[in-house]
Amino acid sequence: AEARAADAGTDGVRYVKIVRPGRAGRLLDAIERATAFDGPFRTAAVLASDDDTVTFAELPGRLLHDGLPVTDGAWRRAWRETLDAWAEAVESSRAHVGHMEVHGPADEAGMLEAWGERADAVDPAGAVRRGRALAMARRELQRLDPLEHPTLIHRDLHDKQILWREGDRPALLDVDTATAGDPALDAANLRAHATWRALQGIWTEEQAEVVREEIDRAAAHSGIRPESLAAYESGTIARLACVYAFRPRWREAAHGLAAA
C-alpha cells in the first residue's frame, strides 16, 4: 500500500509505502539492485525507512497511463524517450547482475500457475478461457532456450509505473520486483498492457499501436529474440486476465483478452 502525505518540513510531497512488518529491508534491497535504472530514468529518492514503511520523495511528471495526444507527436516522443532509457539501462546492467537471482521462464510459468488458481477462486465463470491462455503461455515459455546473458529487469513494468514530462528524463516507479532476467519480459509486459489499454477503452487503438511500434524498435535494438518477446507477452496477457478477475468492472473484458 502507498500513501501520499504533505511534508511539513519542506512544503513538498512525499509518498509512504507500507509493507508487511519486517519487509521494508527487502524493498530497500530491491532498490539497491535496481541502481542501473537510476540515470537513464529518474527514480524516487528514499527519505526514510523503518521496519514496515519506506518514505520516498515525489517524482514530478504525468503517468503514461493517462495518455497524450498522438497528432502533435507527444505520445510517440514520450514512449521513444522511455524505451530509449529502458534500453540504456538494460545495456549498462549486463556486467553487474552476476550476483543476482535470475528470474527465468520456469519462474514465470510458476507465477502464472499461482495466479490462475487465485483467479479461479473468485471468478469460476472465466476459468476455462483463462486456463487455455495460461496453458498456451506455459508451453511457449517452456520452449525458450536458457538465457545466456541476463540483464536487470523491472518485472512489473507497465504504463502506471512510468512518468513523463517534456524536457526531462522519464521517471520509473516501484522497483520492488527488480532482479536479473530476460529483458524480453519487460518489453512484453509493456506490449501486452498496450493491447489491454485499448480493449479497456483507456487508449485509442492508434495510441496502442504507437506504443507497440516503439517497443518493437527498442526490443530489436536490444537484441531481444522475437520468440522470447512472444512467449513473455502471452504470459502477460494470461496474467492480466487473472489479475482483472478480481475487478468485477473488467471481468468480461478480461475474459475476452484471455480468449483472444
Side-chain angles (χ1 to χ4, degrees):
E2 190 168 84
R4 183 178 187 272
D7 190 330
T10 64
D11 295 323
V13 172
R14 55 196 172 91
Y15 287 84
V16 181
K17 187 150 194 170
I18 303 166
V19 297
R20 292 177 182 175
R23 298 290 289 273
R26 294 190 183 187
L27 175 54
L28 294 172
D29 289 344
I31 293 168
E32 180 66 27
R33 288 195 300 271
T35 52
F37 286 132
D38 189 19
F41 290 97
R42 291 176 289 131
T43 57
V46 175
L47 301 177
S49 65
D50 55 30
D51 284 349
D52 53 6
T53 68
V54 179
T55 302
F56 297 94
E58 183 181 27
L59 280 172
R62 178 191 178 104
L63 279 177
L64 286 184
H65 174 77
D66 297 336
L68 287 163
V70 173
T71 53
D72 66 358
W75 186 240
R76 187 177 294 276
R77 190 162 61 254
W79 279 99
R80 180 158 294 190
E81 291 176 5
T82 294
L83 286 156
D84 284 348
W86 171 79
E88 181 183 343
V90 164
E91 187 58 37
S92 67
S93 73
R94 291 186 187 278
H96 306 290
V97 297
H99 65 288
M100 294 185 196
E101 185 176 348
V102 175
H103 180 90
D107 302 296
E108 190 71 5
M111 187 180 67
L112 291 178
E113 185 173 356
W115 266 113
E117 292 173 358
R118 290 196 290 267
D120 288 352
V122 298
D123 178 32
V128 172
R129 280 169 287 189
R130 281 193 305 271
R132 289 171 181 160
L134 289 162
M136 184 186 76
R138 289 195 296 267
R139 285 196 301 271
E140 294 301 313
L141 289 165
Q142 288 166 2
R143 291 192 179 108
L144 295 181
D145 295 329
L147 183 64
E148 294 182 3
H149 303 293
T151 72
L152 178 67
I153 60 173
H154 185 285
R155 273 190 58 214
D156 190 28
L157 188 60
H158 55 78
D159 48 291
K160 288 186 177 180
Q161 306 283 32
I162 303 161
L163 294 159
W164 184 79
R165 65 175 178 174
E166 194 78 59
D168 204 350
R169 292 169 296 150
L172 186 64
L173 304 174
D174 291 346
V175 297
D176 313 27
T177 53
T179 189
D182 192 333
L185 190 155
D186 280 354
N189 210 50
L190 287 171
R191 207 175 193 283
H193 274 83
T195 298
W196 176 233
R197 297 306 181 215
L199 283 173
Q200 288 178 296
I202 293 172
W203 294 352
T204 66
E205 185 51 50
E206 185 180 7
Q207 285 175 314
E209 185 57 29
V210 166
V211 175
R212 287 190 292 262
E213 288 172 0
E214 291 302 318
I215 292 166
D216 292 347
R217 178 192 61 84
H221 177 77
S222 297
I224 290 174
R225 298 175 297 174
E227 62 271 23
S228 297
L229 185 62
Y232 280 112
E233 185 173 7
S234 68
T236 302
I237 287 170
R239 178 167 50 81
L240 284 170
C242 294
V243 169
Y244 282 85
F246 290 84
R247 304 177 191 181
R249 176 187 175 190
W250 297 113
R251 276 183 187 168
E252 283 302 316
H255 293 171
L257 180 68

XYZ file of all heavy atoms in Angstrom, residues 12 15 19 38 43 68 134 170-171 178 186 189 239 241 252:
112
model
N 6.787 20.108 0.564
C 6.735 19.223 -0.584
C 5.788 18.068 -0.332
O 5.023 18.047 0.625
N 5.829 10.212 -0.428
C 4.992 9.016 -0.524
C 5.523 7.971 0.443
O 6.732 7.700 0.462
C 4.985 8.473 -1.946
C 4.183 9.333 -2.894
C 4.750 10.452 -3.498
C 2.845 9.056 -3.152
C 4.011 11.253 -4.347
C 2.092 9.852 -3.992
C 2.684 10.947 -4.599
O 1.938 11.743 -5.437
N 4.560 -1.763 3.918
C 4.754 -3.175 3.608
C 4.474 -4.006 4.853
O 4.221 -3.474 5.938
C 6.188 -3.427 3.089
C 6.434 -2.681 1.788
C 7.239 -3.016 4.123
N 18.698 4.003 -12.433
C 18.903 5.378 -11.994
C 19.964 6.032 -12.872
O 21.125 5.635 -12.868
C 19.336 5.406 -10.525
C 19.352 6.811 -9.954
O 18.712 7.688 -10.550
O 20.006 7.024 -8.925
N 14.572 8.233 -10.639
C 13.985 7.315 -9.670
C 13.785 8.054 -8.348
O 14.469 9.035 -8.064
C 14.861 6.071 -9.455
O 16.172 6.485 -9.034
C 14.989 5.261 -10.746
N -1.411 10.795 -24.012
C -1.008 12.092 -24.540
C -1.492 12.165 -25.983
O -1.792 11.132 -26.600
C 0.520 12.243 -24.501
C 1.169 12.456 -23.128
C 2.660 12.173 -23.195
C 0.926 13.887 -22.641
N -3.465 -19.614 -20.091
C -2.342 -19.957 -19.211
C -1.562 -21.150 -19.739
O -0.322 -21.165 -19.723
C -2.865 -20.243 -17.801
C -3.362 -19.030 -17.018
C -4.248 -19.455 -15.861
C -2.175 -18.209 -16.504
N 12.472 10.380 -18.405
C 11.306 9.705 -17.836
C 11.616 9.212 -16.427
O 12.783 9.027 -16.065
C 11.062 8.540 -18.802
C 12.373 8.315 -19.475
C 13.042 9.663 -19.543
N 10.578 9.030 -15.652
C 10.732 8.564 -14.269
C 10.140 7.170 -14.137
O 9.136 6.839 -14.782
C 10.048 9.519 -13.300
N 12.514 -5.817 -8.939
C 13.688 -5.820 -9.817
C 14.616 -6.995 -9.505
O 14.876 -7.317 -8.346
C 14.452 -4.504 -9.674
N 10.197 -7.506 -19.696
C 9.744 -6.122 -19.515
C 9.116 -5.581 -20.794
O 8.070 -4.921 -20.750
C 10.921 -5.238 -19.104
C 11.257 -5.348 -17.626
O 10.517 -6.011 -16.877
O 12.281 -4.766 -17.212
N 5.751 -7.155 -21.243
C 4.775 -6.644 -20.286
C 4.195 -5.319 -20.769
O 2.981 -5.091 -20.727
C 5.451 -6.471 -18.920
C 4.499 -6.664 -17.764
O 3.770 -7.646 -17.699
N 4.502 -5.719 -16.839
N -1.713 -13.454 -17.492
C -1.668 -12.926 -16.121
C -2.645 -11.769 -15.951
O -3.329 -11.665 -14.919
C -0.245 -12.486 -15.764
C -0.124 -11.873 -14.377
C 1.323 -11.745 -13.945
N 2.150 -11.108 -14.930
C 2.245 -9.780 -15.116
N 1.526 -8.963 -14.369
N 3.051 -9.294 -16.024
N -5.416 -11.370 -17.518
C -6.756 -11.971 -17.435
C -7.041 -12.458 -16.017
O -8.187 -12.404 -15.549
C -6.881 -13.110 -18.435
N -15.517 -9.126 -17.837
C -15.913 -9.542 -19.178
C -14.834 -9.202 -20.200
O -14.532 -9.995 -21.088
C -17.246 -8.909 -19.569
C -18.449 -9.568 -18.933
C -18.546 -11.050 -19.261
O -18.342 -11.420 -20.436
O -18.797 -11.858 -18.344
